[in-house]
């Protein structure tokens, strides 16, 4: 086995016993990236020298007897998370040459833990999308089939973990962007509760749902990363001060007697027979493991996408107002006699791509005086109903399980001409985002050789329980084991 294929847990043992060094581990990842990323195009920036320096430093700390879960462990980060001194582009022409002046809190935490930053991964521009086709630079390919998308918006991170470029990656999830690409690439994608992980240094998309989370090869690894990145932050007042659980502690505990809810709305016409079958097999497995599986009804599920696509563009239209070419970002050549307004229009017109502009326009419309009540306010009311419905179900049941996405990875170019079709990708993932709940996507099977994940949703701040259910399924199945042949 090559070192880059290790899980965090496996690497930890070898590093601590000094059977391998952080430098060797880092070199293995760098070699894999250099040999394979030409085909996959997961990375926007590779930080080779910096990574080797960090790995040397980690080896020094290990030699002195220091121990830590991520000490010397190489990782990649989605390029909408600020990394000091390293380009952070959000995959937008607007920020093509932007070098972050400070680290996001998650990066600062990973730095002190001694993790090794390898580089930055591709995404849909400003995280708007579900395929990485909206990146201003290039589309990332799915390692399971290079003609297909890796999902999005954290598609670069998902593809990189699936191709063993790193031991783990960070993604961000506003309405599915960690979970859906995890499903398409057969990795674990964990979206924490809103307010569990600091958003400081994450480029704001939809501030009321944005959250950073890990993408890993196993559930146990997701628990390890969560323990390092979660917790309060003086720079983000929306982060809870509640103590961070020991996520690994009960992960292997049996789920016997746990109550699992399956919403019947997730088995409608939009699901193919194959996805239904895959879900039924998963339910049989949960029963075998001793859980009680009950069918329930969540009638508001169908409003998730329409509500999300009012609230998200509204917040985007406000959050992206700062990119005007003066304070930040791309500025076009100024011609003599041009007014300030003309310059703004040129900077934003040329700097933003089509999907970003579409969302700014939709959001500005939904927030405008004449339409605010009909769209934004209405969407907020329905968001409350969706949240109440999910919370009520989660008082009765321990977790809710759904497919992560309605189908496996689609072909590049197949859906990007039709924004509505692309938005429907989010049918099962938007509700938990609007309600701020923790949710994970884990590998659950293959359809025509393409992987597909299932989603486990828990009550707010019950990440430990979600990870326990996920880990039980993972230990009882082999879906996470096959590797993409690339
Ligand atoms: N598909 C969703 C969207 O396009 C997901 C975005 C995200 O979670 N960043 O908005």
């Amino acid at each position: 086995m090559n070192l880059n294929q290790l899980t965090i847990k496996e690497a930890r043992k070898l590093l601590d016993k000094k059977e391998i060094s952080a430098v060797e581990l880092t070199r293995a990842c760098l070699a894999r990236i250099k040999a394979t990323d030409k085909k996959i195009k997961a990375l926007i920036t590779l930080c080779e020298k910096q990574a080797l320096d960090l790995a040397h430093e980690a080896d020094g700390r290990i030699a002195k007897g220091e121990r830590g879960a991520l000490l010397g462990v190489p990782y990649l980060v989605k390029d909408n998370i600020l990394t000091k001194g390293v380009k952070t582009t959000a995959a937008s022409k607007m920020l093509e040459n932007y070098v972050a002046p400070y680290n996001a809190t998650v990066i600062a935490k990973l730095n002190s833990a001694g993790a090794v930053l390898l580089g930055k991964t591709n995404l849909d521009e400003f995280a708007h999308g579900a395929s990485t086709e909206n990146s201003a630079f290039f589309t990332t390919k799915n390692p399971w089939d290079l003609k297909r998308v890796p999902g999005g918006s954290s598609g670069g991170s998902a593809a990189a973990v699936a191709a063993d470029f790193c031991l783990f990656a960070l993604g961000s999830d506003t309405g599915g962007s960690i979970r859906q690409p995890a499903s398409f690439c057969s990795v674990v994608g964990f979206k924490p509760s809103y307010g569990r992980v600091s958003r400081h240094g994450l480029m704001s998309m939809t501030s009321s749902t944005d959250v950073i989370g890990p993408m890993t090869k196993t559930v146990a690894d997701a628990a390890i990363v969560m323990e390092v990145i979660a917790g309060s932050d003086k720079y983000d007042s929306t982060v809870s001060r509640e103590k961070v659980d020991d996520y690994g502690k009960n992960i292997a505990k049996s789920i016997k007697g746990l109550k699992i809810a399956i919403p019947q709305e997730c088995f409608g016409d939009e699901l193919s027979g194959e996805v239904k079958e895959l879900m039924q097999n998963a339910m049989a497995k949960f029963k075998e493991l001793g859980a009680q599986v009950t069918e329930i009804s969540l009638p508001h599920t169908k409003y998730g996408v329409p509500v999300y696509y009012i609230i998200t563009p509204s917040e985007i239209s406000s959050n992206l107002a700062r990119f005007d070419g003066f304070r930040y970002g791309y500025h076009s050549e100024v011609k003599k006699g041009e007014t300030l307004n003309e310059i703004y229009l040129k900077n934003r017109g040329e700097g933003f791509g089509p999907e970003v502009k579409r969302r700014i326009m939709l959001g500005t419309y939904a927030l405008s005086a004449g339409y605010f009540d009909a769209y934004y306010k209405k969407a907020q009311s329905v968001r409350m109903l969706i949240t109440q419905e999910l919370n009520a179900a989660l008082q009765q049941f321990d977790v809710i399980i759904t497919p992560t996405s309605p189908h496996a990875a689609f072909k590049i170019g197949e859906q990007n001409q039709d924004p509505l079709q692309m938005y429907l990708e989010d049918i099962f993932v938007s509700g938990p985002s609007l309600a701020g709940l923790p949710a994970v996507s884990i590998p659950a099977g293959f359809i025509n050789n393409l992987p597909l994940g299932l989603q486990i949703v828990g009550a707010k701040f019950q990440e430990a329980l979600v990870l326990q259910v996920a880990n039980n399924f993972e230990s009882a199945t082999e879906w996470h084991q096959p590797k993409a042949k690339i």
Side-chain angles (χ1 to χ4, degrees), residues 78 80 124 126-131 134 152-154 172-180 205-206 210 308-309 312 316 355 359 422-423 425-426 429 433:
K78 186 176 182 180
N80 60 348
D124 289 293
F126 282 102
H128 306 172
S131 68
N134 296 334
S153 61
S154 315
S172 69
D173 193 311
T174 300
S177 278
I178 288 178
R179 291 160 285 162
Q180 184 254 21
M205 173 180 166
T206 308
D210 289 342
Y308 175 83
Y309 280 97
T312 278
I316 286 170
E355 180 61 23
R359 292 189 189 208
M422 198 65 98
Y423 297 168
E425 281 303 303
D426 308 338
V429 282
S433 286

Side-chain angles (χ1 to χ4, degrees), residues 185-250:
C185 292
S186 206
V187 301
V188 174
F190 189 80
K191 176 199 112 62
S193 306
Y194 180 77
R196 186 67 291 188
V197 175
S198 169
R199 291 180 292 120
H200 176 66
L202 167 67
M203 287 184 194
S204 299
M205 173 180 166
T206 308
S207 304
S208 71
T209 67
D210 289 342
V211 55
I212 297 173
M215 307 184 79
T216 55
K217 301 174 195 181
T218 64
V219 176
D221 279 4
I224 292 172
V225 179
M226 272 302 292
E227 276 174 33
V228 174
I229 63 171
S232 65
D233 179 16
K234 68 174 176 197
Y235 297 117
D236 179 357
S237 57
T238 60
V239 184
S240 165
R241 295 212 176 89
E242 237 176 83
K243 197 179 139 281
V244 176
D245 285 336
D246 180 345
Y247 296 122
K249 192 165 155 222
N250 291 326

Side-chain angles (χ1 to χ4, degrees), residues 227-355:
E227 276 174 33
V228 174
I229 63 171
S232 65
D233 179 16
K234 68 174 176 197
Y235 297 117
D236 179 357
S237 57
T238 60
V239 184
S240 165
R241 295 212 176 89
E242 237 176 83
K243 197 179 139 281
V244 176
D245 285 336
D246 180 345
Y247 296 122
K249 192 165 155 222
N250 291 326
I251 210 169
K253 215 171 112 192
S254 157
I255 55 166
K256 211 166 171 184
L258 241 63
K259 293 194 223 122
I260 293 178
I262 310 292
Q264 65 184 46
E265 287 73 12
C266 295
F267 289 86
D269 294 342
E270 62 281 351
L271 276 202
S272 69
E274 290 142 317
V275 181
K276 284 183 189 157
E277 196 185 317
L278 184 141
M279 283 303 291
Q280 270 144 11
N281 292 340
M283 288 320 123
K285 190 50 87 184
F286 280 114
K287 283 185 195 155
E288 236 176 84
L289 290 166
Q292 289 171 32
V293 180
T294 312
E295 202 174 290
I296 60 162
S297 174
L298 295 175
H300 287 91
T301 304
K302 63 171 181 283
Y303 301 118
V305 168
V307 166
Y308 175 83
Y309 280 97
I310 299 281
I311 291 182
T312 278
S314 299
E315 294 194 36
I316 286 170
S317 72
S318 157
N319 272 329
L320 269 55
R322 73 192 69 169
F323 299 104
D324 56 16
F326 289 99
R327 283 172 294 183
Y328 299 97
Y330 172 88
H331 45 91
S332 185
E333 204 187 314
V334 180
K335 296 214 178 73
K336 207 167 164 225
E338 267 176 342
T339 65
L340 188 58
N341 207 33
E342 281 164 347
I343 299 169
Y344 277 140
L345 288 175
K346 269 207 322 195
N347 289 348
R348 287 167 66 80
E350 293 166 19
F352 287 137
E355 180 61 23

